[in-house]
Amino acid sequence: MPTAEVRLEFGRGTGPGIPRADMCALLLAGGAPRGAGDLVDADVPEHASGAVTHARSTADDGTVVDTLAISLASLERAVTTVLVVIRAEGGPLGRIPGLRLHALPAGAHQEAVRLDCGGVTGGRMLVVGECYRDAAGERWRLRAVALAAPLLPAKPRHEPPPPRVVLPAAGTCAGPGLLRIAFEAADGASGAGVDLCALFELADGRTGVVQPLGGAAGALRLPPYVRLDGDRLAVNLDHAERFRRILVFLALRGPGRTFADVRGIVTVRPEHGPAQDFGLEPPDGYESTACALLLLTREGDALRVRREARYLAVREGVSPQRTVDYAYGWGLAWTPATY
């Protein structure tokens, strides 16, 4: 359709075990982006020209909607194409329910273009729309497509200002990058049935859990900026200002298991700075199935990591996860989940 201004809305469902997704715009000049500044998304919500902006909202039913507003007539002459890209983290796009894309001309109330994304089955990045100049280069047109996305330009590592990670035992180490946390069972001790988990609370008030149960693996580039990969947990310090607090803990599963027979090393490895590993040695005979390891809290421009190593008494019929929640006042609504 011919157009000079357009608004695109990308909606999708969310929930435990569902991959996270977002929409972004990539401006092309001569068939390629000129640099990181030509990528507009939730992290950089406005192009330098002001012609492309990104916004995100959440409906009452939990549906998340990304909106791109594109003033095509205001783009620099060098820009010949604007690609509309949807991307997923934590799984393929086909696992996300309710994918839909609406395109509306500026000032119009009726839907001009609708792309039903229900046929998307795989892949984690897809071009779903293309704004392009006509052959004469005078008019803009918009069409729906389904193409493999090009490689997106990397963003400068110095934006935003690097956060700091403060560890009580060894001072400060600088970000940006990842803070990697893992539990390694000691020689002769069994690490089977020991789940590494994290409760998170973001600065905007959102809370949740990252854990093996229910496929709640999290994401690094999208909220909650915490990702579980097997038995290793990573926190994205590039988004440190978006955290309020994170609690990393261990939960045992399986009948008769307690920390009395679980010993090992907790590794805490910032991308920049010294490792902050510590041993986990439960008191003799302490029959707990939940252990808080680390509490990360935002303090100014620093992320303070406090070593907990705290074993919690678990009441009969209460899960280790819920026990940790009660102890630290997270207030989540827990439901049974499976691996």
Side-chain angles (χ1 to χ4, degrees):
M1 73 175 187
T3 185
E5 295 186 30
V6 67
R7 188 177 79 251
L8 298 112
E9 297 179 349
F10 170 56
R12 66 277 190 192
T14 61
I18 297 175
R20 290 169 171 80
D22 71 345
M23 177 173 64
C24 60
L26 184 63
L27 285 63
L28 306 183
R34 294 164 294 185
D38 280 341
L39 177 63
V40 179
D41 58 10
D43 291 332
V44 183
E46 184 174 4
H47 188 257
S49 66
V52 184
T53 60
H54 180 287
R56 175 169 294 163
S57 61
T58 304
D60 292 340
D61 62 357
T63 300
V64 178
V65 178
D66 282 4
T67 301
L68 285 172
I70 307 175
S71 177
L72 296 164
S74 301
L75 285 169
E76 308 111 302
R77 188 68 184 176
V79 177
T80 56
T81 307
V82 179
L83 299 181
V84 180
V85 181
I86 60 174
R87 52 192 179 180
E89 184 168 339
L93 287 162
R95 285 180 48 201
I96 304 173
L99 291 178
R100 58 192 182 278
L101 178 67
H102 297 169
L104 302 98
H109 297 289
Q110 64 182 15
E111 182 179 308
V113 174
R114 176 173 179 172
L115 174 63
D116 183 0
C117 302
V120 175
T121 57
R124 301 195 181 197
M125 196 177 305
L126 188 69
V127 178
V128 292
E130 182 181 27
C131 302
Y132 62 99
R133 295 184 190 270
D134 62 15
E138 299 299 328
R139 301 180 67 192
W140 282 94
R141 294 181 178 273
L142 168 67
R143 64 181 177 183
V145 296
L147 303 172
L151 182 66
L152 300 183
K155 296 189 177 170
R157 294 302 299 269
H158 61 275
E159 297 180 3
R164 295 181 293 120
V165 180
V166 181
L167 294 143
T172 301
C173 45
L178 300 179
L179 176 65
R180 294 181 173 89
I181 303 164
F183 172 70
E184 300 176 359
D187 293 341
S190 174
V194 182
D195 288 344
L196 183 63
C197 313
L199 295 172
F200 63 84
E201 182 178 0
L202 302 182
D204 62 8
R206 283 180 288 178
T207 57
V209 63
V210 173
Q211 62 175 355
L213 272 171
L220 286 175
R221 184 171 46 82
L222 300 170
Y225 312 109
V226 180
R227 172 75 179 170
L228 181 64
D229 185 8
D231 58 356
R232 298 184 180 276
L233 191 78
V235 178
N236 189 348
L237 298 179
D238 293 343
H239 297 280
E241 77 283 355
R242 302 190 182 189
F243 294 121
R244 185 171 294 165
R245 58 177 179 155
I246 304 167
L247 181 73
V248 182
F249 65 97
L250 295 176
L252 297 187
R253 51 185 163 87
R257 292 297 305 278
T258 72
F259 275 106
D261 59 351
V262 177
R263 288 167 173 77
I265 300 294
V266 178
T267 62
V268 185
R269 307 284 174 89
E271 194 163 318
H272 303 278
Q276 297 296 316
D277 305 348
F278 62 93
L280 201 61
E281 189 77 19
D284 291 339
Y286 195 80
E287 297 186 355
S288 172
T289 58
C291 179
L293 300 179
L294 299 163
L295 181 63
L296 291 69
T297 55
R298 183 74 179 167
E299 294 186 5
D301 66 345
L303 193 63
R304 183 169 295 278
V305 183
R306 189 177 76 191
R307 191 177 303 167
E308 297 286 287
R310 177 185 175 192
Y311 296 91
L312 302 172
V314 178
R315 291 182 298 171
E316 185 176 354
V318 179
S319 68
Q321 291 87 344
R322 186 173 295 187
T323 297
V324 175
D325 180 328
Y326 289 167
Y328 288 85
W330 238 266
L332 298 182
W334 294 91
T335 57
T338 58
Y339 290 89

